Amino acid sequence: MHRRQKPSAPEHKRDLAAHGGALSMSHNDSRTFFNFSQLVLSAGHLRTPPVLKHSKITYFEVEILDVQSKKQICIVDKVPPSSTLLDVKHKFHKACPQWYPSRVGLQLERNGPYLKDSINIQSLAVSSIITLYFTDLGQQVGWTTFFLTEYTGPLLIYLLFYIRLSTIYDQVESTKNFRHPVVHLACFCHCLHYIRHLLETLFVHKFSGGHTPLKNMIKGCAFYWGFTSWIAYYINHPRYTPPSFGHRQVSFAALTFLMCEAGNHFINVALAHQNHSGLKACFPSPTYNPFTWLFLLVSCPNYTYEVGSWISFTVMTQTLPVGIFAFLMVIQMSLWAQKKHKLYLKRFYPEVRRKAAMIPIIF
């Protein structure tokens, strides 16, 4: 039998040393790899440098053609997408100085409506070239100038007839005949009406910078100034006769006139507050002010009060020119009320659907 021989002590130690050295080397290598991994993880991920992206802005070219001849007037180039139609009009004015922005009318189609200045040019674009049709709207005036001119004339014209100028009436007849109190009251009411309009134009109504053709202002002035001359001539005439029912008729009509004037003012204030307070999601509702309760019945109570003022002024003075003027005002106000009522139906249908436009049941 062969016996296994034990290795000698020196050889055994050499084997252990060699085996231990191999273990220590592998252990050191693993620790080194572990430390390197921890260092990489602690340093975070290696990021590649960001690639700079150059944003490309697409500019538009606006071709402007004459609406009648279809001939090209000019091309407005390098129009940014954020531009509005008003910006295009300003650039068009630089190319064609004879047409300033307020008299430039631009249409997307020849028979289409005029585009608003606030429209974004990108909303009109189908391609990089936009074609618009130009119409010369004529000389324009601002809305504030329009109303101030239209209302100042009647105020001054009536006062000229009230003082009975010698160039208008016979001086001897003017000094001889006694003025009835209704003449003075009519002057007060007439002046109050137009002073209210002037003050509301300056301090209540807020116009968005729009314009209107000069010919419209001439038409409006001819209408108001002409009728004021006719009305003032008869009321302030030395031979003017008072109303048939005397003091009762005058007092009742004057009280109604003042109530309508007050109601008209409070309605205009309510509408101005509703239009410029940012709360445009609902129709104006009545407040604690009883003059605003007419909102429960009609959608345009300011026109209702305006018509009521002139009807009561007709009853108070009992003159034919005032009656004709009041009749024309009823027609005009009803047309404006119907137009505005249709707009209200589109925006505030649930609140307006059971209301009349200007006069309950009738309009």
Side-chain angles (χ1 to χ4, degrees), residues 300 333-343 357 362-363:
C300 303
M333 294 293 168
S334 63
L335 294 176
W336 288 344
Q338 287 287 345
K339 184 178 179 179
K340 187 173 288 187
H341 185 70
K342 291 180 180 178
L343 295 176
I362 300 177
F363 295 109

Side-chain angles (χ1 to χ4, degrees), residues 13 26 31 84 89 105 147 175-176 195 215 243 257 282 287 289 292 300 330 346:
K13 290 181 179 178
S26 61
R31 286 190 63 183
T84 61
K89 289 184 178 181
F147 287 116
T175 55
K176 185 185 299 184
I195 289 174
K215 61 182 181 181
F257 178 88
C282 60
T287 64
N289 189 338
T292 63
C300 303
V330 170
K346 293 180 180 179

